[in-house]
Amino acid sequence: MLRIAIQNKGRLGEESVGLLSRVGIEIDTAKRKYLSKAINFPIEILNVRDDDIPGLVAENSAQLGIVGLNEVEEKGAKVNIVRNLGFGACRLSLAIPKREEYTGPEYFRGKRIATSYPRILRRYFEGLGIDIIPVVISGSVEITPSAGMADAIFDIVSSGGTLISNGLKEVETVMESQAVLVANPSLSESDRELLDEIEFRIESDRISRGMKYLLMNIPTESLEKAIEILPAMRSPTVLPLATPGWHSLHSVVESSQLWEKVRQLKAIGAEGILVLSVDKIIL
Ligand code: PRT
Ligand code: ZN
């Protein structure tokens, strides 16, 4: 049976369950156990700490996993990165006390840098030929400079609020990260087929999330202009209304462009505009 490892709680847990549910892999969240079977897809869900996911997938205890790219890189696990999943975005950055003057990466020569990501940190400075002193710590990295335990930190940043409230400033971004779907490199034929199906569904979900379905009535003389405003997947659907001189127009637009398109359509006489969410788009 194909098995997918996801974070049991934390920042990625809920989003991982949400993504699986949107692609038709439902888990009974009321009784989320260490190992549970999906209700409607031949897959088992393994709920674990995020640190364990790269290793479990590399050892084939789970064939798939959802985990931050930062964890995959740090563990150096032999897994295939199948795709980005568009959530859990963050970066791994170097930060120093804000009163310090930053002079470029040379600043860090001989400095103590606290981190939970020693492997990525070492690799970065080895690449630059700069010797540093890693101070490995598993949590609360941001307090180490003020506690006199380190001169700088190398940690995950998303909004940057934690750095600011600890009197630190971000000076180098070493890596961008987000949640990724990972797979064991030697999947069986049947697991490969299931992964293809999951990937196909994730892609449909991704496309549809940024789209809205638009329906409106449009005066027939404005039809051509309306079709120019709305570049649909092939072309918009146009249906004559019972009232002469009017048509109904259906199309799909990117959410980010919705209000601009609505403004343009109203300007050419569109009426009764309906905006609907798109559940899935299968191209
Ligand atoms: O218990 P378990 O080991 O499973 O969880 P964990 O505590 O190790 O991980 P968790 O749940 O905190 O994070 C899981 C993954 O979420 C990380 O590996 C990243 O890929 C991703 N992620 C995204 C983040 C953040 N954003 C983030 N902001 N992980 C941690 N943070 C921390 C950051 O270090 C800072 O201390 O959140 C704090 C707030 O960040 P700011 O910059 O918004 O203030
Ligand atoms: Zn963790």
Side-chain angles (χ1 to χ4, degrees), residues 7-13 48-53 67-71 87-91 117 138 140-142 155-165 177-179:
Q7 195 185 14
N8 53 1
K9 42 186 170 55
R11 283 164 206 274
L12 306 181
V48 288
R49 286 194 59 190
D50 68 342
D51 310 55
D52 296 335
I53 295 173
V67 64
L69 181 63
N70 51 306
E71 284 298 331
F87 61 89
C90 57
R91 52 198 189 272
Y117 295 91
S138 60
S140 303
V141 169
E142 65 280 357
D155 200 8
I156 295 180
V157 182
S158 68
S159 69
T162 302
L163 294 184
I164 292 170
S165 58
S177 179
Q178 61 172 281

Side-chain angles (χ1 to χ4, degrees), residues 210-278:
M211 304 301 252
K212 295 285 178 203
Y213 192 80
L214 269 183
L215 293 98
M216 76 210 69
N217 295 333
I218 190 104
T220 308
E221 73 260 19
S222 297
L223 254 184
E224 250 176 61
K225 274 193 205 133
I227 292 168
E228 269 171 40
I229 295 169
L230 292 171
M233 275 173 282
R234 238 178 248 291
S235 69
T237 306
V238 179
L239 301 164
L241 289 190
T243 317
W246 284 85
H247 275 76
S248 163
L249 186 71
H250 301 202
S251 191
V252 171
V253 295
E254 279 182 35
S255 309
S256 58
Q257 297 183 358
L258 177 71
W259 294 109
E260 176 57 18
K261 298 284 182 195
V262 165
R263 193 188 59 74
Q264 293 175 14
L265 290 162
K266 277 169 65 97
I268 59 165
E271 286 182 4
I273 303 176
L274 289 186
V275 182
L276 306 178
S277 294
V278 177

Side-chain angles (χ1 to χ4, degrees), residues 117-128:
Y117 295 91
R119 181 187 161 102
I120 300 172
L121 178 70
R122 283 202 187 93
R123 196 175 56 191
Y124 175 71
F125 281 107
E126 272 166 21
L128 294 170

